Amino acid sequence: MSDVVTLPPLPREVPELVADPAGIREYAADLLAASTQVDELGSFVAGDARIPDWTGLGATAYRDAIKSTGRLADAMSLALRDVARRVDQHAVALQSMLDRHGALVDERDLLVAAIAELRARVAGATADQAPALQLVCDDCAVRVATFEIDLDRWITDLMAEEEAIQEAFARALTLDQVERRYAGTDDPADAALDSMPGPNASPRDVKSWWEALTREQQLAVIAASPGSIGNRDGIPPGARDAANTVSLDSDLVDWGSLEDQGLLTDDERQWLANARAAKQAISTIEDGIDPQTLAPVCSQLYLYDPTAFDGDGAVAVSAGDLATAHDVAVTVPGFGTDGQSAPYQADRALDLYEATRSVDGTTGVASMFWIGYDAPDNLPWEGTGWDGAGVAGEGLAAAGGERLADLLDGLRDSRDGDRAHLIAIGHSYGSTTTGHAAHDEGIPVDDLVFVGSPGVGGDTNDVGDTGVDPDHVWAGANSRDPIADLGNHGWVHLESVLGGAGLGDDPAEDDFGAIRFEAESTTRPGHLDLGQHSTYFDHGSESLYNLSQIVSGNYDAVLGADPVTDPWYAGPQDPEWDRDPTERDTLDDP
Amino acid sequence: MRRLLAGLAGSALMLSVCGCGAVGSDDVDPDAAETALLGQRDAVEQTAQGLVAATKDVLGGGVLASKGRWEGCHSRFPEGYEDFRYTADVRLEAGPGTPEDLADDLREIADESGYAVEAADPDPDVPVRVSDGHVSASLADVPDLGAEGDVLIRLAAEPCVPVPEDQWSDWMSRDDSGPQV
Amino acid sequence: MAEPFTMAVPSAMGVTARAWDEQHLDLRAAGGQVAAAPTGGFTSGVAGAAARFAGSWQRHVTGLAATAETRADGLRTTATDYARTDDAVASDQLLLDIALREDR
């Protein structure tokens, strides 16, 4: 009967929310208590500290000196109080988010149960019962759609609130900022920032705001409050790079000096390591040489947040100019990636840049690696054994997908001039994230590529679910790569074996419908080997060759490969297993 | 049947991920690796000096910039490189009165350097290649597209040297001033 | 004609120096309180920024505390010099010493 009655779709999972409003209020209380103490200093300076009977040059010098201390104390106290107030509001907002979260989870549970029941009814129904059943299913589908909208709204509100509180912290972080803002001096940055659109604004609105500022205001914002715009979607890439570079350089100096004095906390030590990794990623790219012009490759620090994700760090650097390049590739890495992966990822991004620029007729290219989501820390393979319990589920990928979708929207909307040819490349767990971004949010890419994918998300069963033109969905899988082997294989669903560890369907399989390309390596052994999982961007490899053709839009030159099949009688079959791998010329030069 | 096959799939996976892996496992001698990689740097510097001297001889002018680093060759799981080689590039500007097209001059520089010159490629845009023992180099005419300089010499040492697993990031981030030319 | 020397100003300096000492101690404690502000209640996306803010502000407040301490020490030195430039009798000096004793 299921081919006559259409069942309603399953509602998405509600992402986890871990927060403690009481704890947040405690933090605010501590700030407020400190602000009171600082305020007392200000009052003391204005009153009892003055020693009115003391006259002469010494007295004047003393009173002048303490006056500036008093001014600073007043400004600091105001700043701390403002932030404490905002943190209190944040506690309230999060309580509301938690309440809404509970309601969403309850609603989803009801819907899932209802759909299961409907499935059973449909299975046992007769033909004349079908129309009535369909009506019930349709009603349920409407409820699911409403739930999805509510969930979207909740996610957006949560992300907006997180951005807003981060902005509040960022604007009162240094004494410079505090003095400028609270001690009464006019600063072009303040007026500009006060008119900045709130966190819920679209990238287009943010771009309009930025472009309406005077050059002086823009420079002032970059210098005085780079954290406010450096990672904001809608701000043009050049400005983001300028702002993030200011933040990075000042972090290196500040934490570096604390390091010299032996005063770093453990947290700060990690943040400093993330900052250094970002710096190194930039120099790695700038050491590269463009194959066409022989000029050094330019870099852009598009995302920089060394404290993100509990200190794992977020960073994205582009080889090439994101604002003007015609072909723009965003690569999303996977397991174990964090801020300190930046230099290695920069090398891969540079390799892709060089290979793409080596393709005849290619114009401007930008190849960016994006470490902008919380990737799973632990690897599913510990030593020589499979660690089913340690495998990340799809939760981190789903959360990451939201961020990736925002990034890609922002990149599109922040550019002027010709529309870019935008390509998203997901590697490893990054492909699960990219799959989620495509399915859950929709992404404005022209080409979608999965390499070494353990699965592209449980709800994405074929190219039709990605929202991207099926002729532009690609998959590369090295036959010896055990991670690429993990995707659900037809009727053998590994998730039921490995305690829910499955990450979705294998995009290299025929059922999925993606265009598979050759991705074997001449270093491959005769058996599955983890080392093969990292070969997709190596110079000289089939995979990098094909990636470079896709990125430059040279689709006819892509070397196709037959997909993996999964007949019921024999288990997954990979025709690439027996083909002899080749070396490809990916670099137009030495 | 399904459960049996699934179980087999699981255990097959377990067996295979214990795979031998490629070059550069934990039993690599760190001292040998360092000696080899630093030796590569010296060899590249020597070759660079020879080529720079020949270039100055034929074209005049001088060095604008010199950079070097150890480049990863083959990736390892989950991230990093298991082997490295030293590479460098030297950018020179030619003296006044140099022609636009340097193809012939580059050939002359290669011949004068005394290193083994590869057979000429009919395509004039392909750089001139030489090799000196384990160092290979290319000399390219910098196109008039905004990049600084007139000649770019790029050098690379062979072979790739395996490094111990816990040192890959040290070699990636190791600072180098580039060949002294 | 020189003004007759009184202990009023140096003694006021002493009192004020002790008041600066108190400010110094209170601010140091406040800095410690900020450093210990718990970040565990924030979501993981925000905890890092909250920790960074607290760390920076611990330094700002402690810096203010150090300024207060410097003021205190400076005043004590000035008071001593101030008294020595005039003809002070021993008993006055004793009073001065009492007035300038540091409160730690």
Side-chain angles (χ1 to χ4, degrees):
Chain A
M1 271 298 112
S2 52
D3 52 344
V4 175
V5 178
T6 317
L7 286 165
L10 267 178
R12 267 181 296 161
E13 286 222 28
V14 183
E16 230 192 4
L17 175 59
V18 177
D20 175 23
I24 296 174
R25 264 191 289 274
E26 260 186 64
Y27 180 97
D30 282 340
L31 291 189
L32 203 57
S35 101
T36 304
Q37 199 55 60
V38 171
D39 188 60
E40 271 185 36
L41 179 67
S43 310
F44 171 64
V45 162
D48 291 343
R50 290 177 54 77
I51 315 181
D53 291 337
W54 183 19
T55 56
L57 288 175
T60 313
Y62 167 77
R63 278 185 213 107
D64 278 344
I66 68 172
K67 191 162 152 198
S68 71
T69 304
R71 248 181 50 136
L72 177 58
D74 286 340
M76 280 171 66
S77 145
L78 283 175
L80 265 181
R81 207 178 315 156
D82 258 2
V83 174
R85 234 191 326 254
R86 185 61 187 81
V87 172
D88 251 342
Q89 286 169 4
H90 184 62
V92 172
L94 277 191
Q95 185 58 60
S96 157
M97 300 301 307
L98 282 166
D99 294 340
R100 286 164 68 185
H101 180 268
L104 284 166
V105 168
D106 289 343
E107 173 69 359
R108 185 186 185 265
D109 287 343
L110 283 173
L111 288 171
V112 167
I115 292 172
E117 198 224 347
L118 280 172
R119 184 170 289 134
R121 281 170 67 183
V122 163
T126 58
D128 53 320
Q129 289 169 318
L133 266 178
Q134 186 65 67
L135 282 175
V136 180
C137 285
D138 290 346
D139 270 344
C140 188
V142 168
R143 250 180 96 183
V144 171
T146 308
F147 165 84
E148 298 287 0
I149 291 172
D150 285 342
L151 180 57
D152 275 336
R153 206 169 277 148
W154 180 86
I155 290 170
T156 311
D157 287 348
L158 177 63
M159 286 178 73
E161 176 59 24
E162 285 187 329
E163 270 181 49
I165 189 72
Q166 282 179 317
E167 170 70 4
F169 283 135
R171 280 194 74 178
L173 195 60
T174 68
L175 288 181
D176 262 350
Q177 286 172 310
V178 166
E179 280 185 303
R180 262 195 299 263
R181 198 152 173 219
Y182 294 93
T185 38
D186 261 332
D187 184 342
D190 280 334
L193 287 169
D194 285 339
S195 67
M196 182 167 75
N200 259 326
S202 70
R204 245 178 264 269
D205 285 344
V206 171
K207 177 173 189 253
S208 304
W209 164 78
W210 180 255
E211 288 176 342
L213 299 179
T214 65
R215 186 83 183 120
E216 191 208 5
Q217 285 176 314
Q218 290 179 343
L219 291 173
V221 169
I222 287 171
S225 193
S228 300
I229 59 147
N231 302 327
R232 191 90 206 258
D233 290 321
I235 300 287
R240 280 177 69 150
D241 173 56
N244 285 332
T245 304
V246 169
S247 297
L248 172 61
D249 287 342
S250 79
D251 284 348
L252 288 169
V253 166
D254 290 345
W255 290 327
S257 132
L258 288 171
E259 186 188 42
D260 289 338
Q261 299 168 62
L263 292 175
L264 277 181
T265 63
D266 281 342
D267 274 345
E268 286 164 336
R269 199 162 296 122
Q270 190 171 8
W271 301 339
L272 176 56
N274 289 338
R276 287 186 171 142
K279 189 74 172 174
Q280 214 211 316
I282 290 167
S283 6
T284 298
I285 287 173
E286 293 181 345
D287 264 356
I289 291 176
D290 182 277
Q292 290 184 25
T293 64
L294 298 190
V297 177
C298 78
S299 76
Q300 280 175 331
L301 182 56
Y302 193 67
L303 172 69
Y304 172 67
D305 186 357
T307 67
F309 309 129
D310 277 332
D312 277 354
V315 59
V317 187
S318 162
D321 187 351
L322 292 163
T324 58
H326 176 254
D327 299 312
V328 177
V330 178
T331 301
V332 184
F335 292 108
T337 301
D338 59 24
Q340 296 190 44
S341 312
Y344 173 71
Q345 292 299 333
D347 217 43
R348 321 258 65 187
L350 177 64
D351 287 344
L352 179 57
Y353 175 93
E354 288 170 337
T356 308
R357 285 282 281 172
S358 296
V359 174
D360 274 338
T362 302
T363 51
V365 171
S367 162
M368 171 163 70
F369 71 86
W370 180 73
I371 301 173
Y373 75 105
D374 197 0
D377 287 336
N378 56 325
L379 305 171
W381 294 267
E382 294 306 318
T384 56
W386 166 259
D387 178 18
V391 170
E394 290 183 52
L396 293 174
E402 284 151 25
R403 291 175 185 272
L404 178 59
D406 280 348
L407 175 102
L408 292 166
D409 283 335
L411 200 43
R412 270 255 183 259
D413 291 344
S414 67
R415 283 172 53 117
D416 288 319
D418 288 339
R419 187 181 183 281
H421 167 226
L422 187 57
I423 307 101
I425 303 172
H427 172 241
S428 188
Y429 192 86
S431 70
T432 317
T433 303
T434 309
H436 267 281
H439 171 269
D440 299 347
E441 316 289 331
I443 49 178
V445 300
D446 301 296
D447 286 288
L448 177 60
V449 188
F450 303 111
V451 286
S453 176
V456 295
D459 296 330
T460 308
N461 300 319
D462 61 51
V463 291
D465 293 332
T466 65
V468 176
D469 180 346
D471 288 338
H472 291 273
V473 180
W474 311 81
N478 182 317
S479 64
R480 304 320 196 248
D481 177 359
I483 296 183
D485 208 38
L486 271 189
N488 285 347
H489 288 284
W491 60 273
V492 176
H493 286 258
L494 289 176
E495 63 198 4
S496 58
V497 174
L498 299 167
L503 295 173
D505 284 340
D506 178 3
E509 211 175 288
D510 54 356
D511 284 350
F512 191 82
I515 305 171
R516 187 185 182 187
F517 55 82
E518 289 182 356
E520 297 300 302
S521 165
T522 51
T523 64
R524 77 182 188 190
H527 48 80
L528 290 180
D529 169 37
L530 275 176
Q532 296 296 303
H533 181 59
S534 303
T535 58
Y536 297 96
F537 295 84
D538 281 350
H539 260 310
S541 67
E542 295 174 347
S543 173
L544 184 65
Y545 174 84
N546 286 317
L547 287 171
S548 68
Q549 305 300 330
I550 293 169
V551 173
S552 72
N554 208 19
Y555 305 121
D556 292 338
V558 175
L559 306 162
D562 288 333
V564 173
T565 58
D566 189 20
W568 63 269
Y569 50 85
Q573 310 285 313
D574 189 347
E576 286 289 278
W577 187 277
D578 292 319
R579 181 181 62 81
D580 279 330
T582 54
E583 286 276 331
R584 291 283 158 183
D585 187 11
T586 54
L587 206 52
D588 197 17
D589 102 334
Chain B
M1 177 67 164
R2 185 186 287 205
R3 197 163 299 200
L4 175 62
L5 276 175
L8 281 177
S11 54
L13 192 61
M14 259 174 70
L15 285 172
S16 56
V17 299
C18 316
C20 315
V23 189
S25 50
D26 287 351
D27 49 3
V28 174
D29 178 354
D31 291 328
E34 181 162 33
T35 308
L37 287 170
L38 292 178
Q40 282 190 349
R41 192 201 172 284
D42 291 338
V44 165
E45 184 167 71
Q46 214 169 9
T47 310
Q49 284 166 349
L51 288 169
V52 166
T55 307
K56 283 181 177 170
D57 218 37
V58 172
L59 293 176
V63 172
L64 287 174
S66 164
K67 285 172 153 197
R69 88 281 317 155
W70 283 272
E71 215 176 62
C73 302
H74 298 101
S75 290
R76 62 153 43 105
F77 179 80
E79 68 184 34
Y81 294 105
E82 57 193 17
D83 50 1
F84 286 78
R85 61 176 186 161
Y86 184 79
T87 66
D89 51 84
V90 181
R91 205 174 278 269
L92 301 104
E93 74 183 343
T98 351
E100 271 299 314
D101 182 359
L102 293 176
D104 293 332
D105 289 312
L106 293 178
R107 282 256 137 234
E108 197 186 324
I109 294 168
D111 289 333
E112 189 181 304
S113 72
Y115 305 132
V117 183
E118 256 180 48
D121 194 298
D123 182 348
D125 285 337
V126 172
V128 175
R129 293 180 212 275
V130 304
S131 70
D132 168 28
H134 289 298
V135 178
S136 61
S138 71
L139 301 116
D141 183 358
V142 177
D144 218 0
L145 295 167
E148 272 197 328
D150 300 299
V151 176
L152 182 70
I153 303 175
R154 303 177 75 172
L155 306 107
E158 298 288 348
C160 292
V161 176
V163 306
E165 191 164 337
D166 57 0
Q167 281 187 17
W168 75 264
S169 84
D170 292 338
W171 282 106
M172 252 209 94
S173 58
R174 188 153 176 160
D175 266 330
D176 187 67
S177 52
Q180 292 298 304
V181 288
Chain C
M1 184 171 95
E3 288 244 359
F5 178 72
T6 67
M7 290 302 295
V9 170
S11 125
M13 285 180 184
V15 167
T16 309
R18 270 210 296 280
W20 277 108
D21 280 330
E22 274 179 38
Q23 292 290 335
H24 160 233
L25 292 174
D26 288 342
L27 284 168
R28 236 177 46 192
Q33 186 171 19
V34 169
T39 59
F42 293 95
T43 54
S44 81
V46 173
R52 185 171 184 177
F53 184 83
S56 296
W57 274 86
Q58 187 250 345
R59 296 213 170 85
H60 299 334
V61 173
T62 308
L64 215 50
T67 304
E69 187 183 19
T70 309
R71 290 276 155 262
D73 289 343
L75 268 183
R76 270 186 284 274
T77 309
T78 308
T80 312
D81 290 346
Y82 193 95
R84 276 203 208 104
T85 60
D86 283 67
D87 299 320
V89 294
S91 59
D92 287 339
Q93 188 65 49
L94 179 61
L95 283 170
L96 184 57
D97 285 343
I98 292 166
L100 288 179
R101 195 173 310 129
E102 195 177 316
D103 207 346
R104 284 214 179 229

